[in-house]
Amino acid sequence: MPSSKVNEDIQRERENCSFDVSELTNFLDGGPEKTKERKEMEDFFLNDPELKDKVPSEYLSHKEKYQEAVRKSCILFRKIDEWQNISNKGGGVGMYESVLGGALGSAIVKEGIPFSLHYVMFVPTLMGQATMEQQAYWIGRAWNCEIMGTYAQTELGHGTFIRGLETTAHYDPKTEEFVLNSPTLTSYKWWPGGLGHTANYAIVMAQLHSANVCHGIHAFIVQLRDEETHEPLPGIKIGEIGAKLGMNSINNGYLGFENFRIPREHMLMKNSKIMPDGTYIKAPSNKLTYGTMIFVRVALVKGVASSYLAKAVTIATRYSAVRRQSEMKPGEREPQILDYRTQQYKLFPALATSLAMLFSANWLWDMYNNVTGELEQGDMERLPELHAIACCLKAVCTSDAAQAIEVCRRACGGHGYMTCSNFPASYGHTTAAETYEGENTVLLLQTARYLIKAWHQVGSGEMMPPTVKYLLKKPTSKRWENKMACFIKAYQQVAAGNVARCASTIERKIRTGTSTEDAWNETSVQLVQCAEAHCRAFIVQTFVDTLNTAKATMSPELHEVLTQLCDLYTVYWMLRNLGDFLMFSALKPANVQGLQAMQDSLLQAIRPNAVSIVDGFDINDAIIASPLGAYDGNVYQRLFDEANKSPLNEQPVDESFHKYLKPFLKSNL
């Protein structure tokens, strides 16, 4: 906690809190021990003077940002190793992913760590798709950072449609080598983090050709640069793709191949294999390669969407408690803008959404670990369900988070527009996630495909997976009640109604002569809506289940506050998607005013605890990284201090005055 005097408005907010803030923190962390461990880890990393900025990153050139990110990343990787030895916690890939891909990494390198994909995708892919012999050689080298890897899948002309990738790997049985080529400009790998100038190895996804047959996309480990000189190897064309909306130190790159040869053993062969003579042995299931993509999507929901939204709503809520603006009543003191109902409507649903995402991410993480364990035993029964829910959660959560962060920025007025507010960097990270690891619309359509298939199973006697069991329920015409049981049923009816509508539309089109593919495309707008409705129903159910499970061990005061947030999330999205609820659930036009009144009463109920709820997130000031959102609430002094970090303020008169402005002013124009 800062040693400076706390703003009196924000202090009064904390004094009016109705629950124990530390209880909320412990609950979100998973227990007091987890909170203690997190705080110790934050102190260990954030207090290192070598990881502090001498100049705010926004004042560095593109090249300087990258060079500073590399410097910090080298220190950070050493410190992660040191932390694991000190804490005796181990942590494996998850430890690296939580630091590099989560809030801690964003505090240390605001625009992204160029080493991230080494541990987030390169190592997990080796673990999931390499044979034991390959793992024995490569994982040790990767784990010790003797080599630095990335994951090269997306191409200039193809992204989410992986089967359309153009990079080729032709097997030559005479030399027992693969020959990699980029036959077109659009086949150049484009976007992998760290590829530009950082990584010297990559997992490359390419079309495998053997004995004049194309066997589809497979993974290869490819050396890109000399391990001593870091010079690109002959046949490798490599560079950085340039500046972006955000994440400008990630070092995203491009990669092309010209008759580049790699040994046969460099194809990852845990599942599919090429024998020395070129014989191809197919994997037991093509679904076995889903693992890495699902892992990253799971991580995105928690590490990006929920985490960055929690940070943004903390900044905006604290600022709104300090900022006073306009007269609500003539002659009275300007009120805190948090007292305006419109401000509450902007911020409190975002607050509820951040928690809803966190609880859904926790459920998804547990399911991912369970299904991964089942896959190791050859059981793939739950993989399609996991894939479907990971797709729609990634899409909905990243989209919701990006929109909500922008709302939080605007809720802070002009000050939110400043780079130092940390809204631009937060938005840049979050909106990037809307298109990487699967473009959101495509992912929602993948979920929709699963839902339509599940719909056709209804009545077949097959067991329905848990997340789609609601499809079995018969519609009822019960009276509407403003109670959670009714709300959950309504969300499920909306989801089921959307699925049924899409299925019947597609069937009707096919019956009248439209091809299956055209029928699907012509219905795709509704299919996207159907997948989103399914996801919303899942998120609401998971929020409710999380609170019901926790009720026995949680204080009534905290449970009441979290229930208010759960109710707000539920009612807010019903009112945002009112047409669907009027169409498919028991909600009638006459009930809408009651829902709106309930939303208003929830905003009013949450208002006294708003600052303390974001305090419960317990986000370190170094991670908040915003003068608008620091714990002490000293917004204006901190903004003034940030302004004076500008290089333009180092001298009272800039040299451009003498070179350009003064001659212009004296020119008698």
Side-chain angles (χ1 to χ4, degrees):
M1 194 180 297
S3 58
S4 56
K5 188 173 182 291
V6 176
N7 174 279
E8 61 181 20
D9 282 329
I10 211 164
Q11 184 59 39
R12 188 164 50 252
E13 295 288 333
R14 290 171 177 137
E15 289 167 358
N16 292 333
C17 176
S18 70
F19 65 94
D20 181 352
V21 173
S22 62
E23 184 188 1
L24 174 56
T25 302
N26 294 338
F27 173 65
L28 297 179
D29 282 333
E33 280 301 312
K34 295 281 188 184
T35 298
K36 180 172 177 287
E37 183 183 323
R38 173 180 57 79
K39 284 176 169 290
E40 288 172 352
M41 188 166 75
E42 287 173 356
D43 287 342
F44 179 77
F45 287 101
L46 298 176
N47 292 331
D48 188 328
E50 285 191 283
L51 293 173
K52 304 277 188 188
D53 285 329
K54 296 178 178 64
V55 178
S57 64
E58 54 263 38
Y59 299 119
L60 301 178
S61 70
H62 184 71
K63 190 173 183 178
E64 288 169 333
K65 283 180 184 178
Y66 169 65
Q67 291 169 343
E68 180 66 0
V70 172
R71 182 189 73 81
K72 284 185 175 181
S73 298
C74 292
I75 297 167
L76 185 58
F77 267 45
R78 284 197 294 268
K79 285 188 73 72
I80 292 173
D81 190 53
E82 189 182 337
W83 168 255
Q84 291 186 129
N85 291 331
I86 292 170
S87 64
N88 294 318
K89 294 288 183 184
V93 173
M95 168 68 189
Y96 283 86
E97 192 280 324
S98 66
V99 174
L100 302 176
L104 200 51
S106 73
I108 294 165
V109 186
K110 192 181 286 188
E111 291 217 46
I113 295 168
F115 293 10
S116 292
L117 259 66
H118 178 75
Y119 272 104
V120 175
M121 293 200 74
F122 183 74
V123 173
T125 304
L126 288 173
M127 293 171 72
Q129 297 189 41
T131 64
M132 294 305 293
E133 294 80 6
Q134 289 172 323
Q135 289 186 35
Y137 178 75
W138 290 110
I139 289 182
R141 300 197 73 208
W143 195 259
N144 296 333
C145 294
E146 294 171 38
I147 59 174
M148 183 61 58
T150 186
Y151 183 85
Q153 178 169 291
T154 299
E155 295 174 356
L156 192 53
H158 283 91
T160 305
F161 181 57
I162 298 167
R163 280 179 290 144
L165 297 178
E166 298 176 82
T167 302
T168 59
H170 284 84
Y171 183 66
D172 181 354
K174 295 174 187 170
T175 59
E176 295 189 23
E177 291 175 317
F178 292 101
V179 185
L180 272 63
N181 273 292
S182 304
T184 61
L185 179 62
T186 52
S187 68
Y188 268 58
K189 297 298 179 184
W190 191 271
W191 276 116
L195 177 61
H197 295 86
T198 311
N200 54 8
Y201 281 82
I203 302 289
V204 174
M205 304 302 288
Q207 300 282 2
L208 167 61
H209 293 258
S210 177
N212 296 317
V213 177
C214 179
H215 300 288
I217 296 298
H218 289 72
F220 303 84
I221 184 162
V222 182
Q223 184 176 354
L224 308 175
R225 294 175 177 270
D226 185 278
E227 290 189 25
E228 290 300 320
T229 66
H230 209 58
E231 288 288 339
L233 298 178
I236 296 289
K237 300 174 182 179
I238 195 167
E240 200 220 28
I241 65 171
K244 308 171 292 291
L245 177 68
M247 304 174 76
N248 277 304
S249 53
I250 286 283
N251 193 220
N252 302 91
Y254 66 79
L255 170 65
F257 300 102
E258 188 175 313
N259 295 321
F260 187 76
R261 288 178 172 266
I262 59 172
R264 181 183 69 88
E265 294 79 7
H266 284 204
M267 173 179 156
L268 300 186
M269 297 202 219
K270 179 179 179 180
N271 302 314
S272 302
K273 296 176 177 62
I274 283 283
M275 305 310 288
D277 65 356
T279 302
Y280 177 70
I281 300 176
K282 190 177 178 182
S285 169
N286 57 6
K287 294 174 182 175
L288 290 170
T289 57
Y290 284 5
T292 306
M293 287 185 294
I294 294 176
F295 168 75
V296 177
R297 287 168 191 164
V298 170
L300 282 176
V301 178
K302 190 171 186 176
V304 176
S306 176
S307 172
Y308 278 95
L309 179 53
K311 184 160 41 175
V313 80
T314 297
I315 294 168
T317 302
R318 286 176 176 168
Y319 174 79
S320 299
V322 171
R323 181 73 168 182
R324 289 179 173 272
Q325 189 84 17
S326 304
E327 287 182 333
M328 197 180 291
K329 296 176 182 175
E332 291 190 1
R333 186 185 180 191
E334 290 177 283
Q336 297 160 279
I337 59 173
L338 198 54
D339 286 334
Y340 289 104
R341 185 57 49 84
T342 49
Q343 190 77 348
Q344 295 164 12
Y345 180 72
K346 291 172 188 174
L347 300 184
F348 298 171
L351 192 53
T353 297
S354 177
L355 289 169
M357 287 178 186
L358 176 64
F359 299 148
S360 292
N362 290 340
W363 183 97
L364 186 60
W365 184 247
D366 289 341
M367 184 182 183
Y368 171 79
N369 286 324
N370 290 336
V371 172
T372 303
E374 291 166 6
L375 282 175
E376 293 296 324
Q377 308 302 316
D379 181 359
M380 287 175 280
E381 186 178 339
R382 297 177 67 205
L383 187 60
E385 183 190 22
L386 171 63
H387 181 250
I389 201 70
C391 282
C392 68
L393 268 178
K394 182 269 180 185
V396 169
C397 290
T398 55
S399 175
D400 284 358
Q403 289 179 45
I405 288 170
E406 171 60 7
V407 169
C408 288
R409 181 193 69 77
R410 296 200 305 266
C412 293
H415 294 328
Y417 191 66
M418 296 192 70
T419 301
C420 70
S421 72
N422 206 9
F423 285 119
S426 297
Y427 179 77
H429 268 80
T430 310
T431 195
E434 294 187 83
T435 45
Y436 68 69
E437 291 316 310
E439 192 277 331
N440 280 359
T441 301
V442 177
L443 291 187
L444 289 169
L445 288 171
Q446 288 184 20
T447 299
R449 196 172 292 279
Y450 173 81
L451 293 172
I452 297 298
K453 188 177 178 182
W455 177 255
H456 288 303
Q457 288 175 358
V458 173
S460 68
E462 288 186 54
M463 286 285 289
M464 296 290 279
T467 55
V468 288
K469 269 191 174 172
Y470 65 83
L471 293 174
L472 295 169
K473 294 179 181 176
K474 297 283 187 284
T476 59
S477 55
K478 285 187 176 179
R479 284 180 60 252
W480 182 265
E481 293 181 293
N482 282 348
K483 293 181 179 177
M484 186 53 75
C486 181
F487 296 161
I488 290 173
K489 188 169 189 60
Y491 269 89
Q492 292 176 346
Q493 287 172 331
V494 165
N498 269 291
V499 175
R501 178 182 62 173
C502 288
S504 66
T505 300
I506 291 169
E507 286 169 9
R508 186 179 68 252
K509 286 177 180 290
I510 292 171
R511 278 199 309 272
T512 56
T514 306
S515 71
T516 302
E517 294 78 11
D518 285 341
W520 182 268
N521 180 47
E522 290 168 13
T523 316
S524 57
V525 172
Q526 293 76 32
L527 286 163
V528 165
Q529 293 166 351
C530 138
E532 184 180 335
H534 169 71
C535 193
R536 296 264 177 233
F538 170 80
I539 292 171
V540 168
Q541 183 71 64
T542 306
F543 205 149
V544 172
D545 289 347
T546 301
L547 297 188
N548 286 342
T549 303
K551 189 172 184 178
T553 55
M554 186 181 283
S555 70
E557 294 82 6
L558 177 57
H559 193 268
E560 181 183 11
V561 170
L562 293 179
T563 300
Q564 289 166 353
L565 289 164
C566 180
D567 290 348
L568 179 62
Y569 179 89
T570 307
V571 172
Y572 174 83
W573 283 106
M574 276 196 283
L575 290 170
R576 286 286 298 270
N577 296 311
L578 201 51
D580 274 358
F581 284 87
L582 290 170
M583 191 183 303
F584 295 117
S585 77
L587 185 72
K588 301 288 186 289
N591 306 127
V592 174
Q593 194 171 351
L595 269 185
Q596 291 169 331
M598 184 177 181
Q599 179 175 260
D600 279 341
S601 68
L602 286 166
L603 294 173
Q604 185 177 1
I606 291 164
R607 164 65 188 90
N609 286 313
V611 168
S612 296
I613 293 166
V614 298
D615 284 353
F617 292 159
D618 196 32
I619 306 174
N620 190 293
D621 269 0
I623 295 172
I624 291 287
S626 171
L628 307 185
Y631 185 88
D632 63 16
N634 290 323
V635 170
Y636 304 117
Q637 183 62 55
R638 287 178 180 270
L639 270 173
F640 196 77
D641 293 343
E642 284 296 320
N644 282 304
K645 292 177 183 176
S646 169
L648 281 173
N649 289 326
E650 290 174 1
Q651 300 293 333
V653 179
D654 185 65
E655 61 186 35
S656 62
F657 172 76
H658 299 290
K659 289 171 72 175
Y660 310 116
L661 185 56
K662 185 176 180 180
F664 175 76
L665 293 172
K666 301 294 184 185
S667 66
N668 295 319
L669 187 65

